[in-house]
Amino acid sequence: MRITIKNLSKSYSGGNLVLKPLNLEIESGELFFLLGPSGCGKSTLLRLIAGFLTPDSGTIAFDDQDVTALPPEKRNAPMVFQNYALWPHLSVYENVAFGLKAQHLKSSEVRARAMAALETVRMSEFAERKTPLLSGGQQQRVALARALAVAPELILLDEPLSNLDAKLRDEMREELREICRSRHLTAIYVTHDRREALSMADRMAVMANGSIAQLGTPSELYRRPINSFTASFLGDINLLPGRITAPGSISTACGTFCGLDTGKAAVNDEVTLAIRPENIRIDSDINGAWSAVMPLTGGSYLGEFAAWKFGELCVNEIAPEMRRIGSSCRLTVRSQDAVVFDADGGSL
């Protein structure tokens, strides 16, 4: 199922514009993430797609059908909630079968589809157990089975893994991704966890203040952010104020960087240079846009990697050596690993 959103907006009481007019297209079979901080509008957008909220303006289409005015039960777009929303007085089977019974299916078909969904999430042996007796991970699986049982083409996920511990979250990420792909489901997934989005998404939208700050694949957004908000939200980054001294050259407090893509910026323009900590190489023999010998001023050795400080620069080293504070190292940055924003951190 392809999702097409045009000029969609939403305000709450007092005229507070939570979602600014927004356009978005999600392809059939895509695992699409809405990522952003609390209050950015991502959950509002998901609830508009589900039909739980009515937009102030704009349209939502599933394939070629305009569903803007359809109630949730007519959209066949089940949602998996953060708190699972299971009925505690019902068994696992009864929770999964509930939506199927509402479709007035034959009892044999209800049974077959509910048990098939439980089998998919490896919960069939718990069919007769009451949900309060389940662990958090098991409850999450039941909530997912309930959504899958109605054979949707679109599934909506609102931070479904946020209540699980770290190890279980990692396991469920792989399972969710595999289930969506094996069933060719279009999935829209809301989270504020960047690692969840980067590891699972086909494409993602980073949202801020009711708008999409940037849209693309995880790799595109992480490696080539178009503004400092996206860059910082997706991970640690060094932001260096600088000035363009010649085409492709930027002077900073750490020295001059050459061979950079400075977009439409002109000589003498103030800019911001963005470099991920892992893209600063230590004692490397590569030729870079910038290289300098700097003293190690601090940091943490964490086993498989270390987070070092060289003055105002943060540097991540994989399989690190043991380094002594005060010792000097040559740091190098390649031109393709540096991104240039305007002075305020916006797109050039």
Side-chain angles (χ1 to χ4, degrees):
M1 180 183 288
R2 186 181 69 258
I3 313 301
T4 304
I5 294 167
K6 294 182 179 179
N7 298 315
L8 199 69
S9 68
K10 178 64 180 176
S11 298
Y12 290 140
S13 59
N16 180 29
L17 190 60
V18 177
L19 196 69
K20 299 171 184 175
L22 180 146
N23 294 286
L24 177 64
E25 188 156 315
I26 299 169
E27 297 299 328
S28 178
E30 194 168 38
L31 181 50
F32 189 90
F33 270 67
L34 297 171
L35 177 68
S38 298
C40 70
K42 60 187 186 295
S43 291
T44 295
L45 177 55
L46 193 72
R47 281 160 171 72
L48 286 166
I49 295 169
F52 298 149
L53 296 174
T54 302
D56 296 341
S57 66
T59 59
I60 302 167
F62 292 177
D63 287 332
D64 296 321
Q65 180 189 8
D66 187 335
V67 300
T68 312
L70 278 184
E73 64 272 16
K74 299 290 187 180
R75 299 193 185 196
N76 196 27
M79 184 180 289
V80 179
F81 295 92
Q82 179 180 355
N83 62 358
Y84 317 131
L86 301 175
W87 287 282
H89 62 289
L90 299 181
S91 68
V92 166
Y93 169 79
E94 290 167 332
N95 267 276
V96 176
F98 187 88
L100 296 170
K101 291 177 178 178
Q103 295 178 355
H104 306 294
L105 301 175
K106 292 181 179 179
S107 58
S108 58
E109 185 174 357
V110 169
R111 181 78 186 177
R113 287 172 60 171
M115 292 306 296
L118 285 171
E119 186 68 33
T120 297
V121 299
R122 296 185 285 121
M123 286 294 292
S124 56
E125 64 184 284
F126 298 93
E128 301 309 318
R129 187 170 296 185
K130 290 289 194 291
T131 56
L133 301 178
L134 302 176
S135 69
Q138 290 170 331
Q139 290 187 48
Q140 194 275 340
R141 291 173 191 273
V142 175
L144 180 59
R146 182 176 58 190
L148 296 173
V150 297
E153 294 182 73
L154 169 66
I155 188 169
L156 308 174
L157 301 124
D158 190 6
E159 304 201 46
L161 307 184
S162 61
N163 290 336
L164 306 183
D165 62 54
K167 184 176 183 297
L168 192 53
R169 274 203 308 272
D170 290 342
E171 293 175 2
M172 288 306 302
R173 286 174 189 170
E174 292 301 317
E175 291 193 29
L176 271 172
R177 186 175 176 85
E178 178 56 33
I179 287 169
C180 289
R181 287 192 165 174
S182 64
R183 294 192 170 213
H184 198 64
L185 284 172
T186 304
I188 305 176
Y189 193 124
V190 159
T191 186
H192 63 272
D193 185 333
R194 65 181 179 88
R195 294 187 184 279
E196 207 162 81
L198 290 170
S199 64
M200 293 177 67
D202 294 317
R203 279 194 312 145
M204 53 198 279
V206 175
M207 296 188 65
N209 301 318
S211 298
I212 294 175
Q214 190 172 352
L215 175 69
T217 67
S219 177
E220 287 168 349
L221 269 62
Y222 185 81
R223 294 184 56 81
R224 308 306 297 178
I226 62 172
N227 53 59
S228 60
F229 175 82
T230 297
S232 299
F233 195 82
L234 289 180
D236 295 336
I237 197 155
N238 295 286
L239 297 173
L240 301 177
R243 183 175 60 85
I244 297 179
T245 54
S249 296
I250 298 174
S251 175
T252 74
C254 296
T256 298
F257 291 73
C258 303
L260 303 181
D261 180 3
T262 54
K264 298 178 181 178
V267 172
N268 290 323
D269 280 357
E270 301 293 326
V271 293
T272 301
L273 191 61
I275 309 164
R276 298 276 181 206
E278 66 271 21
N279 287 333
I280 301 177
R281 315 300 173 91
I282 300 177
D283 295 335
S284 170
D285 58 2
I286 64 170
N287 293 318
W290 169 85
S291 185
V293 176
M294 299 184 70
L296 179 64
T297 56
S300 301
Y301 178 82
L302 301 169
E304 68 272 21
F305 81 100
W308 303 124
K309 291 285 288 183
F310 291 85
E312 62 184 282
L313 289 179
C314 297
V315 181
N316 288 350
E317 183 182 21
I318 307 300
E321 298 180 18
M322 291 299 296
R323 300 186 182 277
R324 181 172 52 83
I325 303 300
S327 63
S328 292
C329 302
R330 177 165 291 280
L331 307 180
T332 307
V333 176
R334 302 181 303 174
S335 58
Q336 61 265 42
D337 291 330
V339 181
V340 185
F341 307 135
D342 65 24
D344 296 322
S347 178
L348 286 175

